[in-house]
């Protein structure tokens, strides 16, 4: 990452600080550079086992309909929220406890809401995944509702997150806005203090 900062500072005109360089680098590219640094420092991948992605939780997306979440790894499409499952939208003021939902769903306990695979209420959502992820993977979040099948329209993509399982561990992966690529056309609509994405492995 430091090398890329130096490269940008030497090749892009009118840059006066490292902060300006960082503003030009999307979070996914910063993750790639960080993983490369870890690869060099550790002499190889940190962990070599497949990870089980338990769930995805989203908070702070100002949309009415539950967004569509698709996940790919090196084998292809691993998970899609809107292919075979009907999201449940709760028209009440309810706080979805991400950790409670995840544990209740995984463990088989909990109430009726936590047993569902998809729940969306008051800009907060829960997606039960329980799929194996291996190597490079991509999480793509699109508009749901009537736009959920517009997979060829790039303007319907809200955000994405890319990483590699070789640099993650079986634990919750907490992702604030600064860790995901929010599409530029929607960046001002997603408040940094309200947004939160959690993908527990």
């Amino acid at each position: 990452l430091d090398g890329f900062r130096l490269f940008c500072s030497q090749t892009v005109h009118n840059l006066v600080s490292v902060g300006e360089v960082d503003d030009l680098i999307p979070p996914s590219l910063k993750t790639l550079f960080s993983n490369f640094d870890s690869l060099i420092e550790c002499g190889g991948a940190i962990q070599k086992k497949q990870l089980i992605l338990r769930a995805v939780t989203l908070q702070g997306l100002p949309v009415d309909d539950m967004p569509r979440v698709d996940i790919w790894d090196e084998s292809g499409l691993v998970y899609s929220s809107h292919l075979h499952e009907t999201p449940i939208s709760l028209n009440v003021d309810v706080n979805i406890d991400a950790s409670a939902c995840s544990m209740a769903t995984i463990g088989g306990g909990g109430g009726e809401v936590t047993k569902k695979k998809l729940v969306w209420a008051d800009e907060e959502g829960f997606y039960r995944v329980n799929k194996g992820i291996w190597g490079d993977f991509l999480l793509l979040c699109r508009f749901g509702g009537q736009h959920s099948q517009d997979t060829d329209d790039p303007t319907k993509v809200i955000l994405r997150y890319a990483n590699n399982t070789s640099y993650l561990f079986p634990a919750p992966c907490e992702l604030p806005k600064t860790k995901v690529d929010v599409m530029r056309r929607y960046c001002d609509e997603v408040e940094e203090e309200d947004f939160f994405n959690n993908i527990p492995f």
Side-chain angles (χ1 to χ4, degrees), residues 66-71 77-87 117-118 126-129 140-142 144 148-149:
M66 186 174 201
R68 172 173 175 160
V69 169
D70 295 317
I71 301 171
L77 182 65
V78 175
Y79 170 83
S80 183
S81 63
H82 284 57
L83 285 183
H84 307 294
E85 189 75 14
T86 301
K117 293 182 179 180
L118 301 174
F126 171 79
Y127 305 73
R128 185 176 65 181
V129 179
L140 202 63
C141 178
R142 309 172 186 270
S148 64
Q149 304 306 316

Side-chain angles (χ1 to χ4, degrees), residues 91-128:
N91 297 318
V92 294
D93 185 11
V94 58
N95 180 38
I96 298 176
D97 187 328
S99 60
C101 272
S102 300
M103 294 308 296
T105 303
I106 295 166
E112 184 64 23
V113 170
T114 58
K115 291 179 182 178
K116 302 299 182 181
K117 293 182 179 180
L118 301 174
V119 179
W120 181 256
D122 194 26
E123 300 182 3
E124 298 185 11
F126 171 79
Y127 305 73
R128 185 176 65 181

Side-chain angles (χ1 to χ4, degrees), residues 7 14 27-28 54 64 69 76 80 86 102 104 107 109-110 116 118 123 126 156 166 183-184 194 197:
F7 170 79
N14 302 321
S28 58
R54 302 298 182 183
D64 294 328
V69 169
S80 183
T86 301
S102 300
K116 302 299 182 181
L118 301 174
E123 300 182 3
F126 171 79
K156 300 302 188 295
S166 298
M183 299 300 101
R184 186 170 299 179
D194 295 331
N197 183 197

Side-chain angles (χ1 to χ4, degrees), residues 23-89:
D23 289 341
L24 298 175
I25 307 175
S28 58
L29 194 54
K30 292 179 183 178
T31 299
L32 173 65
F33 288 138
S34 177
N35 289 346
F36 184 78
D37 290 342
S38 298
L39 179 69
I40 298 300
E41 293 173 3
C42 299
I46 296 176
Q47 70 91 18
K48 301 180 180 179
K49 296 181 180 180
Q50 182 187 61
L51 294 178
I52 304 299
L53 178 56
R54 302 298 182 183
V56 173
T57 60
L58 288 170
Q59 297 178 16
L61 285 183
V63 296
D64 294 328
D65 297 311
M66 186 174 201
R68 172 173 175 160
V69 169
D70 295 317
I71 301 171
W72 289 265
D73 71 358
E74 295 182 0
S75 66
L77 182 65
V78 175
Y79 170 83
S80 183
S81 63
H82 284 57
L83 285 183
H84 307 294
E85 189 75 14
T86 301
I88 294 178
S89 295

